[in-house]
């Protein structure tokens, strides 16, 4: 059914929650701020590093936010896979999709350099033709520009493209681009929140994605 599969990173391919929380709390402690619990930190994730720091420090002072992002990156690049892991069934599912000649790419709001580092360290970078992070804040999901560029690069159609993710931005970017979406209930926002967003499909586990690859289903 689908020729191109686009995947979110955090909460979809990889469970990165603890490493993100450790890095955010490191920055909070540098500024003598109280640390945040895991659920709170993850509620700040999804719209880019600067937005995450705006929420963590409740500030929109651009220069200060830029300093906070630099502090986060400095710590996180050395600790981004201390506790992170690929979701169960992910590698096997990606292997099966590749065997079916599907094109696989990553579309994330995480900076590209950090995304590449995580994927390589966790041993799944080789599955993806492209890893696209926003080189401009305006191009972050749910802006469909990068998604549509990937569709053009592969030479496929919107009808044969599936966006797979666990967040609001993943479902909305698919809708904005006119492609199908697949929500992952094992990710960060959970089943109920995903259902409210009305994705085209919903999967409870990674192998469930293979059912969508079979036109008889």
């Amino acid at each position: 059914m689908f020729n191109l599969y686009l995947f979110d990173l955090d909460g979809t391919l990889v469970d990165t929650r603890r490493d993100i929380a450790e890095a955010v709390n490191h920055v909070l402690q540098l500024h003598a701020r109280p640390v945040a619990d895991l659920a709170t930190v993850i509620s700040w994730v999804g719209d880019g590093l600067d937005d995450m720091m705006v929420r963590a420090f409740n500030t929109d002072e651009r220069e200060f936010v830029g300093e906070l992002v630099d502090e986060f990156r400095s710590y996180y690049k050395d600790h981004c896979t201390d506790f992170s892991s690929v979701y169960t069934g992910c590698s096997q599912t990606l292997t099966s999709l590749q065997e079916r000649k599907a094109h696989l790419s990553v579309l994330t709001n995480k900076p590209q350099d950090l995304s590449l580092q995580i994927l390589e360290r966790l041993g799944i970078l080789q599955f993806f033709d492209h890893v696209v992070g926003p080189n401009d804040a305006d191009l972050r999901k749910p802006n469909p520009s990068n998604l549509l560029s990937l569709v053009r690069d592969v030479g496929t159609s919107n009808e044969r493209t599936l966006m797979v993710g666990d967040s609001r931005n993943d479902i909305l970017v698919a809708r904005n681009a006119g492609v199908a979406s697949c929500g992952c209930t094992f990710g960060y926002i959970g089943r109920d929140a995903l259902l409210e967003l009305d994705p085209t499909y919903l999967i409870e586990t990674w192998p469930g994605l293979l059912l969508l690859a079979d036109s008889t289903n």
Side-chain angles (χ1 to χ4, degrees):
M1 289 179 66
F2 299 106
N3 184 43
L4 172 60
Y5 291 79
L6 303 175
F7 299 96
D8 177 47
L9 177 61
D10 298 297
T12 301
L13 292 165
V14 182
D15 185 348
T16 53
R17 285 175 287 193
R18 184 170 171 184
D19 286 321
I20 293 172
E22 294 279 342
V24 169
N25 281 326
H26 170 77
V27 179
L28 286 167
Q29 289 177 307
L30 288 178
H31 296 269
R33 303 288 183 94
V35 298
D37 63 35
L38 183 63
T40 299
V41 173
I42 296 310
S43 73
W44 299 333
V45 171
D47 294 312
L49 297 186
D50 50 353
D51 277 36
M52 184 169 67
M53 288 302 159
V54 165
R55 293 163 185 163
F57 282 80
N58 193 27
T59 180
D60 57 4
E61 186 182 337
R62 181 170 296 182
E63 186 174 342
F64 180 45
V65 170
E67 293 173 5
L68 297 172
V69 168
D70 289 343
E71 291 168 350
F72 176 92
R73 288 178 63 97
S74 178
Y75 179 89
Y76 188 65
K77 67 183 176 62
D78 294 326
H79 300 279
C80 60
T81 56
D82 286 358
F83 302 103
S84 294
S85 60
V86 177
Y87 280 105
T88 301
C90 173
S91 297
Q92 297 91 328
T93 302
L94 295 174
T95 298
S96 294
L97 291 174
Q98 273 195 335
E99 290 171 349
R100 301 179 192 205
K101 308 302 182 185
H103 296 274
L104 314 177
S105 291
V106 175
L107 181 62
T108 176
N109 281 348
K110 198 182 209 102
Q112 185 181 45
D113 61 328
L114 295 174
S115 300
L116 287 167
Q117 189 171 322
I118 291 168
L119 292 166
E120 183 173 22
R121 287 186 182 181
L122 294 179
I124 58 171
L125 178 59
Q126 73 276 8
F127 289 111
F128 304 107
D129 301 326
H130 303 89
V131 178
V132 178
N135 53 18
D136 186 295
D138 292 337
L139 295 180
R140 292 175 186 155
K141 298 176 291 186
N143 185 318
S145 298
N146 284 334
L147 190 159
L148 293 171
S149 292
L150 286 167
V151 173
R152 288 193 296 270
D153 288 346
V154 169
T156 189
S157 65
N158 288 13
E159 292 75 19
R160 298 203 64 196
T161 299
L162 181 68
M163 178 71 215
V164 182
D166 72 304
S167 76
R168 178 178 183 274
N169 283 334
D170 299 318
I171 307 307
L172 292 183
V173 72
R175 188 170 300 148
N176 292 342
V179 306
S181 60
C182 178
C184 302
T185 64
F186 49 80
Y188 294 170
I189 71 170
R191 192 176 199 279
D192 291 343
L194 280 171
L195 281 173
E196 290 181 6
L197 295 166
D198 194 27
T200 316
Y201 305 101
L202 205 63
I203 56 172
E204 308 280 349
T205 64
W206 257 94
L209 195 60
L210 295 176
L211 296 175
L212 308 183
D214 185 348
S215 60
T216 62
N217 291 297

